[in-house]
Amino acid sequence: MAPPKSAADFVDFVNASPTPYHAVATSASLFEAAGFTKIKERDSWASKVKPGGKYYLTRNGSSIVAFAVGAKWKPGNPIGMIGAHTDSPCLRVKPVSKKTANGFIQVGVETYGGGIWHSWFDRDLSVAGRVLVKDDAGNFVQKLVKVDRPIVRIPTLAIHLHRQSNFDPNKEDEMLPIAGLAAAELNRSAGGESEPAADAEGDFSPLKKITERHHSHFIEIVAEHAGVDAEQVVDFELILYDTQKSCLGGLNDEFIFSPRLDNLNMTYCSVMGLITSLESTSLESDTSIRLVACFDHEEIGSLSAHGADSNLLPAIVRRLSVIPGVSPSSDGSYDHVEDAAASTAFEQTLSTSFLVSADMAHSVHPNYAGKYEGNHRPEMNKGTVLKVNANQRYATNSPGIVLLQEVARRAGVPLQLFVVRNDSPCGGTIGPMLSAKMGVRTIDLGNPQLSMHSIRETGGSHDVEHAIRLFDSFLGTYGELESKILVD
């Protein structure tokens, strides 16, 4: 069976999103196309956010939250939420990256998250991220950059010089990418291409000039792709990425071969689940709010101003919980929220809401089946996986499983269950963290994949559609189902 169109659309999403900043920008463009209005945390929402409306906001350019308010919303009503994350293990360019060794130009990088680092060797790598530039008016502006050609590479040592069976490179000394030859760079400069002009004499610079911290040719390439002069580049946050594109594969295109499946797969499915829910289930009779939050920094613990362990989601839910409902009178006015009611609306909303923590799951590996618990071996293209852990590394419990079963039944999509072996460590998600922080009922789930945290991962092409339909059903029906599956 041919893969659904959503699989090819997801591939396009990944290829456009080499960094969290790009993933947020690509998601925002999808919301804009679906009629969502951009709002800001720093503004008052009193006259902007109303029942029947669709909105999104970003924080730091690397986390995004979008929501649609049911037309029959009342303060204290439930919010159906899906949480995912935009980041993946990677290598990030250091603040001072300028290095040379034995005739090679090198770029200093820092490991981010728990990557399978040997998979980054001998790949055609480039850089992407955000650049802070100074415009003609003296303002500092963020610009997204994606250099589309390979400019760096981490070469392995020839087997003749390293005959050990294991390959465990030192991450500081042996994972330095090469970017060119020093002699070629000297010839380039001698040919009339000089470094960017220095600051005017006497102009104090608290830090070393950016061309002293990074190779000048590197800065020029970044500036070119930012559409500015090299002298305008003030700072940047750049990530190395594999230039080999995500694609469908397998004899019947049943696989997705791709970087960053963990967790752009769930980010994309969450975004599209919200958008499609508005097409399949109108807001007109909805008493709830449908919300999707995609956070940065999950791979390093989420403890940041824009991670899941920040105030981002609680602060937004608090503001949404007191949005006045539409008055039943024919004039379309809004109900007045009494102070007493408003004081408990946040707590009421939390107690009636539900969070789906969406992070990729492990598919059974045919060559290492013994690493999986015998009765819990998820398969690709057999549906989204509900993740269970008795020690609360996952937040799933029986009421949540019952709810998702009913949601999946209505959507006509399969589900699977996963538990780790007792002698195996268990990964973590944002689920338990947000469940504890907010007191919200939560379930952990994700699509099955192989090679998690490798530079190239493998997932099922049909599971993209499974998850989108599941999230569509959850967001569109949670307002109705909330009271039917209640365990206080």
Side-chain angles (χ1 to χ4, degrees), residues 2 14 59 66 72 90 99 129 201 233 240 336 434 438 485:
V14 175
R59 184 185 281 192
K72 294 190 176 180
C90 64
K99 289 179 176 288
E201 187 176 352
V233 175
L240 270 61
H336 174 68
L434 285 170
M438 302 173 67
I485 307 173

Side-chain angles (χ1 to χ4, degrees), residues 254-334:
E254 60 264 66
F255 299 133
I256 298 173
F257 301 143
S258 175
R260 303 181 297 281
L261 288 182
D262 177 21
N263 193 42
L264 290 189
N265 188 293
M266 290 291 92
T267 292
Y268 178 77
C269 293
S270 301
V271 169
M272 294 309 300
L274 174 55
I275 291 172
T276 56
S277 78
L278 301 173
E279 300 168 357
S280 58
T281 309
S282 172
L283 289 173
E284 288 304 312
S285 58
D286 199 343
T287 60
S288 69
I289 292 176
R290 311 173 194 182
L291 182 147
V292 165
C294 301
F295 303 96
D296 195 4
H297 289 165
E298 189 275 342
E299 296 293 355
I300 55 171
S302 296
L303 187 59
S304 70
H306 31 281
D309 204 13
S310 70
N311 74 333
L312 178 55
L313 188 56
I316 289 173
V317 171
R318 182 179 293 277
R319 295 174 77 166
L320 295 179
S321 67
V322 296
I323 293 173
V326 176
S327 171
S329 62
S330 60
D331 63 2
S333 60
Y334 292 88

Side-chain angles (χ1 to χ4, degrees), residues 49-62:
V49 179
K50 300 176 181 179
K54 303 176 292 185
Y55 311 90
Y56 78 93
L57 60 92
T58 63
R59 184 185 281 192
N60 187 54
S62 59

